[in-house]
Amino acid sequence: NDGEVYCVHDMNLKRTFGIAGLATNVCWKGTLDKVDVGAIKGPQFAGRADCRVPRIDEVFALIPDDGRKITLEVKDPRPEIVPLIQAAWRRHPNMKEENIIFLAHKATRAALVKAFPRAMFQHCVNCYSDGWRKGCTPIPVARQLAELDARPECRNFSPMFDLDLLTPDYISAVHRRGVAFYTWCVDRPEDAVEAFGRGVDGICSNCPVELWEGLKAICSAPKAGYTDARVDEIAGWLPERPAAPGARIGDRAAWDRL
């Protein structure tokens, strides 16, 4: 509403910022720019300059120009936000259009497709019809695939992570449509290994640093089930597909190259 696009997770700002109201109705200027997010998180974070609500320009400035992708979930259902996002993107030449993955409501997504024709669009789904927890009623795979088919602009499919539901057949059905398969949220290294082993193309995590360190620990200390894996096989799971042909994961130099 004030021309500032800011980045939050919850649409309702009460839990994270202590402000009653929806993000679509709360301005950054004069409200969120004054919130001490660190103090809400804990007294040890109070007053820190890096614990505040970031604007999209600040986030864009952090993205390295090295081919890494950024996922932008545009939660504002009003397409009027799209020119503001586009203007911010143009101010940051490090942000390559083809490295952006968008999630958005239908009307906003249509406007984003026109503004960012080279970007990727993701269809993100919950696997359950009555909640977000394992044990709720699963949505039939056929219905999920039908929803994906109804969104031809979405070449990236991202269901919630549940190993009981994310079967190789399900993942293959998405791949046969020429669509990448991502999943969220994967926080344990052993779950990431299993997910990639089943054929997923990418994962979303609440703790990517810890997850990456855990994966390195698994691969630098081969054990039963991993001994015969090779660095180039693991590299095949990654979008950049780095090459380290024939190297065993016990070869630390090969892992460092990966």
Side-chain angles (χ1 to χ4, degrees):
N1 292 328
D2 60 357
E4 292 285 0
V5 180
Y6 57 85
C7 302
V8 299
H9 181 274
D10 296 5
M11 178 64 83
N12 190 316
L13 302 178
K14 184 68 175 177
R15 180 179 70 93
T16 47
F17 303 138
I19 297 174
L22 299 179
T24 47
N25 300 325
V26 176
C27 292
W28 187 84
K29 295 176 181 175
T31 304
L32 288 175
D33 61 341
K34 300 184 183 304
V35 174
D36 186 347
V37 180
I40 297 172
K41 180 177 176 63
Q44 68 272 35
F45 300 101
R48 284 175 42 166
D50 61 343
C51 291
R52 54 189 173 79
V53 183
R55 291 172 294 167
I56 198 168
D57 269 287
E58 296 172 292
V59 174
F60 281 179
L62 295 173
I63 305 303
D65 185 7
D66 62 0
R68 268 181 275 188
K69 300 185 184 298
I70 178 173
T71 300
L72 295 177
E73 182 179 4
V74 185
K75 295 193 174 185
D76 194 325
R78 300 168 296 186
E80 289 80 8
I81 195 175
V82 173
L84 299 175
I85 296 173
Q86 189 178 43
W89 167 68
R90 286 173 173 162
R91 289 192 288 270
H92 296 277
N94 57 301
M95 285 283 297
K96 299 296 188 291
E97 182 178 349
E98 59 270 22
N99 292 333
I100 304 174
I101 302 173
F102 282 111
L103 297 82
H105 293 271
K106 183 176 181 180
T108 307
R109 186 172 67 246
L112 285 166
V113 168
K114 292 181 180 179
F116 296 90
R118 295 169 61 192
M120 180 178 285
F121 290 84
Q122 185 179 88
H123 178 43
C124 185
V125 297
N126 178 12
C127 288
Y128 303 109
S129 61
D130 55 354
W132 297 89
R133 301 292 182 216
K134 188 172 182 177
C136 296
T137 306
I139 298 174
V141 169
R143 177 178 153 191
Q144 296 187 42
L145 294 176
E147 291 177 356
L148 175 62
D149 291 338
R151 297 165 172 82
E153 70 277 12
C154 293
R155 311 312 299 162
N156 185 303
F157 182 66
S158 182
M160 189 176 69
F161 176 72
D162 184 336
L163 285 175
D164 291 338
L165 301 179
L166 302 185
T167 64
D169 288 343
Y170 180 19
I171 296 168
S172 295
V174 172
H175 284 159
R176 284 196 297 273
R177 289 163 164 79
V179 175
F181 196 111
Y182 284 40
T183 187
W184 55 274
C185 287
V186 182
D187 296 333
R188 300 193 311 163
E190 55 269 34
D191 287 338
V193 170
E194 180 64 29
F196 284 126
R198 294 187 185 191
V200 305
D201 300 296
I203 59 177
C204 173
S205 178
N206 292 305
C207 44
V209 174
E210 293 84 353
L211 183 65
W212 180 242
E213 292 300 321
L215 286 171
K216 286 199 293 185
I218 287 175
C219 294
S220 62
K223 58 179 77 70
Y226 297 98
T227 305
D228 293 330
R230 297 197 316 238
V231 166
D232 55 314
E233 293 171 339
I234 298 169
W237 303 341
L238 304 177
E240 293 80 9
R241 301 284 193 269
R248 295 283 166 180
I249 58 176
D251 178 351
R252 186 52 187 258
W255 175 255
D256 287 343
R257 288 196 300 274
L258 173 58

